[in-house]
Amino acid sequence: MSRNRSATARDVALDVLNKVDERKSYSNLELNSALGSSPLSAADAALATELVYGTTQRRNTIDGVIDRFVKGGAGKLQPWVRNLLRLSLYQIRYLDRIPERAAVHEAVEIAKRRGHRGVASLVNGVLRNVLRHPEVWDKPPQAGTAAEIAWTYSHPQWLVQRWLQLFGEETTRALCASNNHPPHAAVRVNRLKIGRDQLLSELLRDFPAAARSPLSEQGIVLPGGHAAGTKWFAAGYYTIQDESSMLVAPALAPRPGMRVLDACAAPGGKTTHIAELMDNRGEIVACDIHPHKQRLIEQHAERLGLTIIKTMVCDAAELAEQELGLFDRILLDAPCSGLGVIRRKPDLKWNKQPADIARIARLQYQLLTRLAPLLAPGGLLVYSTCTIEPEENQLLVERFVAEHDRFQLDRSLASDLPAVVSDACDAGRGYVQILPHQFASDGFFIARIKRTGD
């Protein structure tokens, strides 16, 4: 890109997509970094965000179209040229508000600036060929239901095949469609500082579409706007958190004065929710394996005015050796494949493989077995993930209670969840699996395990 002109939204989006390719990093992290150092207006920042997430979400389908007009396929192109074609075709196919001729013109101009006339000619030729043959968007390269769904909703075919076997065709289509929708923002009200209705009335001045969350008594949905940029956020009146994630702390049923362990706590959203439900009375040990995230938890607590959280850096698998004593409640928000938050992190569906699910499930089971002895008799342990894979969720907790006779799934979990969730997700088994399309929220699994009297 020429250094004598300001970067456009398309330039920024292209740079982010190139860095994701080069560094094998996540698009949300690269995008946040790029927007933080860019002079883009709010409208252009929103366009850059749409281009990055949308292009990444639809990569499979877009590459299939490129393959039909480039000798050797998309894989033969220089990475930046491939990404330029991807984000241009995303605009042509999926963004009605951008005229096709504008998308082509901008792409050719970028190709001229970053490459040479030959590259510009290639980009112009491919885009105009696609415009002359719009039927290519409707023809999957392979036959069969899995291939058709993978093409239509742009998901890896192995993942679609897996979900077809688990959930059936109707749910798989709904799940894949939901994954392509941009997530809406939601905030959790700090009940120690303000009531939900009072804060909602304040927020409506800047967020006219703000509304009560149907999933959480502390939740407010904020469509559009910059939730982290308000005076109420700075004053600790709320925390930005997905509605599904807000269900975890109530499922733990913490009470004032209890001793609680949050074993994988960073960045601290669930930790602080637990502290709020405890009226900031008792003790929470918040542990994370990453030293640089310890300060994140502390900053979170300071902003919200919470003083009962003690942070520590430790591998959760080694907590049993730290002489911490027993806890009334334990939260294991386990590391997972993340396949329930694809709409928020679209790179995940392209980066994961079936073997990753088996590998992370082994780690999750190890963590659960190492942490469970720290639970006091009669205490509760909540195991949660942001994935929808049974090996990491239902099968794992069922195996755990089958192999450990002093622990059982707590079928009273439903009493601590909203009725809309309990009814839709059958909480009577001691766990719930929330799929992204059910409530337009993150896919989440929550299980509650009780230690019986020894």
Side-chain angles (χ1 to χ4, degrees):
M1 182 185 69
S2 168
R3 299 304 173 191
N4 297 321
R5 59 184 300 279
S6 297
T8 67
R10 293 175 178 83
D11 285 315
V12 171
L14 181 56
D15 286 339
V16 169
L17 293 171
N18 290 337
K19 287 179 180 176
V20 169
D21 274 358
E22 293 165 6
R23 300 172 180 177
K24 307 301 178 190
S25 52
Y26 286 116
S27 55
N28 62 325
L29 300 179
E30 294 291 353
L31 180 64
N32 289 340
S33 174
L35 293 181
S37 59
S38 165
L40 289 180
S41 66
D44 281 345
L47 176 58
T49 301
E50 167 76 51
L51 293 177
V52 169
Y53 284 131
T55 300
T56 306
Q57 288 283 23
R58 299 288 182 171
R59 197 173 81 187
N60 185 40
T61 309
I62 292 172
D63 281 2
V65 169
I66 294 174
D67 286 346
R68 298 178 186 186
F69 296 102
V70 172
K71 186 177 181 180
K76 291 291 186 182
L77 295 169
Q78 295 180 65
W80 76 268
V81 177
R82 182 170 58 244
N83 283 328
L84 177 57
L85 285 171
R86 284 171 172 168
L87 73 84
S88 302
L89 287 171
Y90 174 73
Q91 296 167 68
I92 289 171
R93 177 63 174 176
Y94 300 105
L95 291 187
D96 294 337
R97 67 180 184 274
I98 296 179
E100 294 172 345
R101 64 179 183 281
V104 175
H105 173 76
E106 290 295 331
V108 172
E109 290 302 308
I110 291 174
K112 288 178 181 175
R113 291 198 301 271
R114 299 196 181 206
H116 50 72
R117 292 183 60 182
V119 175
S121 178
L122 169 70
V123 168
N124 185 55
V126 171
L127 296 180
R128 293 192 182 281
N129 258 321
V130 175
L131 288 174
R132 282 193 289 270
H133 300 281
E135 70 278 5
V136 297
W137 292 101
D138 302 321
K139 295 181 179 178
Q142 299 177 35
T145 302
E148 183 268 317
I149 293 175
W151 174 266
T152 301
Y153 301 101
S154 206
H155 278 60
Q157 190 165 325
W158 72 265
L159 191 56
V160 172
Q161 188 65 55
R162 179 183 180 88
W163 288 347
L164 281 171
Q165 294 172 353
L166 289 170
F167 307 120
E169 182 176 341
E170 182 180 358
T171 297
T172 298
R173 286 185 183 277
L175 177 54
C176 291
S178 176
N179 284 341
N180 288 332
H181 293 163
H184 57 246
V187 302
R188 186 193 78 231
V189 180
N190 183 354
R191 61 194 287 269
L192 302 183
K193 289 197 173 188
I194 194 170
R196 179 168 72 167
D197 287 345
Q198 184 181 352
L199 180 59
L200 177 59
S201 67
E202 299 279 349
L203 289 172
L204 281 170
R205 299 173 191 168
D206 292 348
F207 300 86
R212 297 181 187 87
S213 164
L215 293 191
S216 170
E217 293 180 353
Q218 285 93 49
I220 295 176
V221 177
L222 291 182
H226 183 34
T230 73
K231 61 182 179 184
W232 300 287
F233 177 79
Y237 283 18
Y238 64 77
T239 294
I240 299 170
Q241 189 175 24
D242 184 79
E243 293 169 276
S244 292
S245 179
M246 292 182 203
L247 300 173
V248 175
L252 193 61
R255 302 285 182 265
M258 282 186 167
R259 237 182 139 237
V260 179
L261 171 64
D262 187 351
C264 302
K270 299 180 188 68
T271 315
T272 52
H273 195 185
I274 295 167
E276 290 166 11
L277 294 176
M278 293 170 64
D279 293 339
N280 200 30
R281 289 186 284 145
E283 178 189 21
I284 300 175
V285 177
C287 170
D288 201 87
I289 192 172
H290 302 293
H292 66 283
K293 293 184 176 179
Q294 182 180 25
R295 185 58 188 146
L296 281 179
I297 303 170
E298 293 169 348
Q299 290 172 336
H300 219 44
E302 288 168 10
R303 184 180 61 81
L304 296 167
L306 302 169
T307 58
I308 64 170
I309 299 170
K310 298 178 180 177
T311 62
M312 65 180 295
V313 176
C314 184
D315 185 337
E318 298 174 358
L319 280 171
E321 301 157 14
Q322 304 302 312
E323 299 183 350
L324 296 172
L326 298 179
F327 293 88
D328 303 300
R329 300 287 187 267
I330 294 177
L331 171 59
L332 173 54
D333 188 45
C336 67
S337 63
L339 292 173
V341 293
I342 286 176
R343 65 190 186 127
R344 202 176 295 282
K345 298 179 179 177
D347 323 69
L348 282 169
K349 62 183 175 185
W350 309 120
N351 296 340
K352 297 296 181 183
Q353 297 296 324
D356 293 324
I357 296 171
R359 177 187 55 76
I360 198 73
R362 289 192 292 273
L363 172 62
Q364 292 160 341
Y365 194 77
Q366 178 193 22
L367 292 177
L368 183 55
T369 54
R370 296 297 302 274
L371 289 169
L374 296 177
L375 187 64
L380 299 174
L381 183 154
V382 164
Y383 171 88
S384 63
T385 71
C386 59
T387 189
I388 60 175
E389 300 305 315
E391 290 94 326
E392 302 178 65
N393 296 336
Q394 299 95 318
L395 297 178
L396 188 141
V397 296
E398 294 277 11
R399 175 190 168 194
F400 175 79
V401 296
E403 295 179 354
H404 297 79
D405 57 11
R406 290 185 297 176
F407 296 87
Q408 60 188 29
L409 286 163
D410 184 2
R411 299 181 187 279
S412 69
L413 169 65
S415 63
D416 287 305
L417 293 174
V420 64
V421 174
S422 297
D423 295 344
C425 304
D426 189 13
R429 294 169 295 184
Y431 53 76
V432 290
Q433 175 66 77
I434 299 170
L435 301 178
H437 67 280
Q438 289 178 296
F439 305 106
S441 60
D442 288 348
F444 239 85
F445 177 79
I446 303 170
R448 188 157 83 185
I449 296 170
K450 183 174 184 178
R451 180 170 182 172
T452 59
D454 293 345

